[in-house]
């Protein structure tokens, strides 16, 4: 079966000027790679794959202003109030109304933050390499847009702790373990904390992945799930503008904020 040879990649460009983070899983959810590199290094890694489903933690393109079209607005549940949400993407409206905060995507590429512009470049490069937007019956190489915060929120059924906090990283790493990804048990971090370590500032942080690595891994897992368990995935947004895929069968109406 073709998908037995498929690599499932997650790419996180949100570090901005710093190297991109990219991860790879195989069909059995074993980690093949957790790396950091330039855009060229990431593309070289992708070029070395026989077949790949690639999830990118970025919008695929600038805002197309679809939310300014009344026929689009009236199809949404619930329809936004007149004059509201005019400059958001459809996916952004659908997530924000559920209390899942997602960055706003401007309509002009030059107005977008650097990490989004890098994401646009990745999507364009993949198209030139012959990749198709998921879902596609045309070939084994496909790409999709993901938003890690939404994925973790949906899997936890509430908003997680902040991604860069110790508790947020612990929480996200536990989510990966709960979904059969073979990362180190982050509870070892707590077992290794002693009075001496706290006083000397030598906490065992090597047991915990960085927020960028955790985001890239949940992206790779989403790529795996849309192929292997499509009934446990959903998406928001408009296909013309960009759909965000999330590794749960259905989204709740509202997610509780972290306290």
């Amino acid at each position: 079966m073709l998908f037995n040879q498929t690599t499932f990649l997650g790419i996180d460009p949100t570090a901005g000027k710093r190297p991109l983070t990219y991860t790879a899983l195989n069909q059995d959810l074993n980690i093949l790679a957790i790396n950091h590199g330039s855009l060229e290094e990431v593309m070289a890694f992708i070029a070395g794959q026989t077949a790949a489903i690639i999830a990118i933690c970025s919008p695929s393109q600038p805002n197309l202003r679809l939310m300014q079209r009344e026929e689009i607005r009236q199809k949404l549940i619930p329809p936004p109030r007149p004059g509201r949400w005019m400059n958001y993407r459809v996916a952004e409206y659908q997530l924000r109304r559920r209390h899942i905060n997602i960055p706003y995507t401007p309509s002009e590429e030059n107005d977008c933050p650097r990490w989004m512009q890098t994401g646009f470049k990745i999507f364009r490069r993949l198209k030139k390499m012959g990749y198709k937007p998921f879902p596609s019956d045309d070939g084994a190489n496909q790409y999709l847009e993901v938003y890690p915060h939404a994925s973790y929120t949906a899997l936890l059924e509430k908003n997680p702790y902040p991604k860069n906090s110790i508790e947020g990283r612990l929480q996200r790493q536990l989510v990966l373990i709960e979904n059969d990804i073979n990362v180190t048990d982050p509870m070892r971090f707590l077992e290794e904390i002693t009075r001496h370590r706290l006083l000397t500032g030598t906490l065992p942080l090597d047991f915990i992945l960085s927020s960028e690595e955790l985001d890239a891994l949940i992206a790779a897992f989403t790529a795996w799930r849309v192929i292997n368990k499509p009934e446990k995935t959903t998406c928001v947004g408009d296909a013309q503008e960009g759909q965000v895929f999330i590794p749960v069968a259905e989204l709740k109406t509202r997610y509780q904020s972290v306290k």
Side-chain angles (χ1 to χ4, degrees), residues 10-72:
I11 304 175
D12 179 31
T14 59
K17 294 181 180 179
R18 290 177 287 168
L20 284 72
T21 301
Y22 59 104
T23 62
L25 302 173
N26 67 10
Q27 178 63 31
D28 298 320
L29 289 177
N30 295 318
I31 296 175
L32 301 177
I34 300 180
N35 291 326
H36 309 270
S38 66
L39 176 58
E40 295 307 320
E41 290 170 326
V42 173
M43 301 314 297
F45 182 84
I46 292 171
Q49 306 306 311
T50 302
I53 309 297
I54 304 176
I56 300 109
C57 308
S58 166
S60 56
Q61 61 183 334
N63 185 340
L64 296 184
R65 300 181 179 178
L66 297 185
M67 289 292 287
Q68 296 181 16
R69 293 165 51 180
E70 191 60 28
E71 70 274 18
I72 297 290

Side-chain angles (χ1 to χ4, degrees), residues 97-198:
R97 77 169 188 84
R98 290 179 165 88
H99 285 209
I100 299 176
N101 193 31
I102 180 172
Y104 157 71
T105 305
S107 58
E108 298 294 333
E109 184 164 342
N110 288 338
D111 294 333
C112 295
R114 184 183 296 270
W115 68 267
M116 282 190 185
Q117 295 185 39
T118 300
F120 301 155
K121 290 177 183 177
I122 295 171
F123 281 103
R124 288 195 290 262
R125 293 282 292 271
L126 290 175
K127 289 178 184 177
K128 289 182 179 180
M129 293 172 68
Y131 278 77
K132 306 293 183 181
F134 178 86
S136 173
D137 296 327
D138 184 16
N141 294 325
Q142 301 178 57
Y143 60 78
L144 59 144
E145 177 185 336
V146 297
Y147 180 49
H149 175 68
S151 296
Y152 282 117
T153 298
L155 289 167
L156 285 164
E157 298 190 343
K158 62 181 178 181
N159 275 282
Y161 291 114
K163 62 184 287 185
N164 291 316
S165 67
I166 292 296
E167 59 268 38
R169 290 162 61 192
L170 288 168
Q171 187 181 40
R172 286 163 174 77
Q173 198 156 324
L174 286 171
V175 169
L176 296 177
I177 290 175
E178 289 292 315
N179 285 281
D180 300 322
I181 299 174
N182 190 25
V183 294
T184 302
D185 186 349
M187 300 311 292
R188 289 180 60 187
F189 167 80
L190 299 179
E191 294 170 1
E192 292 289 330
I193 293 178
T194 63
R195 178 186 180 90
H196 174 74
R197 281 185 177 273
L198 285 170

